[in-house]
Amino acid sequence: WDWNMLTDEIYYSPRWKSMLGHPDNELTNEFSTWEQLTDDAGRIRTMSMIDECIAGKQEGFVSEFRMKHKDGHWLDIMSRGILVRDEQGQPVRMVGTHVDLSDRKQAERTLIEKEKAETAARMKSQFLANMSHELRTPMNGIIGMTHLALQTELNEKQKNYIDKAHSSASS
């Protein structure tokens, strides 16, 4: 893209337009085309960077935002722009490129989801190991004490109760 700041004319290359799913003649070469196709947060952030360039705080910018494809889905775009000034230091044009980062961003999102799932599985496994340990410790005490109790003199009813407790704990 190439923005003549003196005439407010902008040129979007056919490749720039095709990246968004449009033939060359379908999108107008106007600044509003970019504004209309760019998500609100990205547009605001990028315009702030452009304003900083115009004010002389930066010579260029790199910004990531989303743009609407012709079929309705969003593309992740990285835009780079450089401000060109005349001999008096006045801004006269800004030129730049757009790169479609959608595949890379999707791969990053997939990797993050995979890492979250692996973390959740590890935490679940650790929780189960801890709970198993927490249950085994008192159960071993019950098994041991019921075993000792069964070695003592008990009436038939007591023996029956302790035998069932011992058998259940052992199971």
Side-chain angles (χ1 to χ4, degrees), residues 86-105:
D86 64 14
E87 297 81 28
Q88 290 77 37
Q90 296 302 309
V92 293
R93 80 183 322 135
M94 185 169 267
V95 295
T97 60
H98 279 181
V99 177
D100 183 355
L101 301 177
S102 300
D103 291 341
R104 187 187 92 196
K105 292 287 190 174

Side-chain angles (χ1 to χ4, degrees), residues 3-166:
W3 177 25
N4 183 330
M5 300 170 90
L6 300 176
T7 63
D8 205 30
E9 294 174 308
I10 195 159
Y11 168 76
Y12 300 118
S13 71
R15 175 66 187 116
W16 187 96
K17 294 175 183 180
S18 71
M19 185 170 44
L20 300 171
H22 295 273
D24 188 32
N25 64 346
E26 215 171 67
L27 292 175
T28 59
N29 286 332
E30 298 173 359
F31 197 81
S32 62
T33 299
W34 175 81
E35 291 176 311
Q36 291 167 3
L37 294 174
T38 302
D39 71 300
D40 292 337
R43 184 180 63 254
I44 291 166
R45 187 175 52 258
T46 305
M47 286 305 302
S48 175
M49 291 178 185
I50 291 171
D51 290 342
E52 286 186 7
C53 290
I54 293 170
K57 297 177 183 176
Q58 300 287 333
E59 291 182 16
F61 70 88
V62 176
S63 180
E64 290 186 17
F65 46 81
R66 296 180 324 137
M67 290 188 79
K68 183 81 86 169
H69 190 276
K70 181 179 180 178
D71 69 11
H73 75 275
W74 290 95
L75 297 174
D76 293 297
I77 302 293
M78 178 177 58
S79 181
R80 292 184 181 107
I82 296 174
L83 185 69
V84 178
R85 296 180 182 276
D86 64 14
E87 297 81 28
Q88 290 77 37
Q90 296 302 309
V92 293
R93 80 183 322 135
M94 185 169 267
V95 295
T97 60
H98 279 181
V99 177
D100 183 355
L101 301 177
S102 300
D103 291 341
R104 187 187 92 196
K105 292 287 190 174
Q106 182 57 46
E108 288 172 0
R109 286 188 288 270
T110 300
L111 182 60
I112 288 168
E113 290 303 314
K114 180 181 177 212
E115 288 172 353
K116 284 182 184 177
E118 289 172 351
T119 299
R122 272 194 311 277
M123 290 176 72
K124 177 182 173 185
S125 179
Q126 185 178 8
F127 171 78
L128 291 175
N130 287 343
M131 287 307 298
S132 176
H133 173 75
E134 293 298 323
L135 290 171
R136 274 194 316 270
T137 301
M139 288 308 294
N140 285 335
I142 293 169
I143 292 169
M145 294 309 291
T146 54
H147 175 75
L148 290 174
L150 287 171
Q151 306 304 313
T152 64
E153 286 189 32
L154 302 168
N155 66 38
E156 198 57 37
K157 194 173 189 179
Q158 290 171 327
K159 183 175 178 353
N160 184 31
Y161 288 161
I162 293 180
D163 195 39
K164 285 180 181 173
H166 183 75

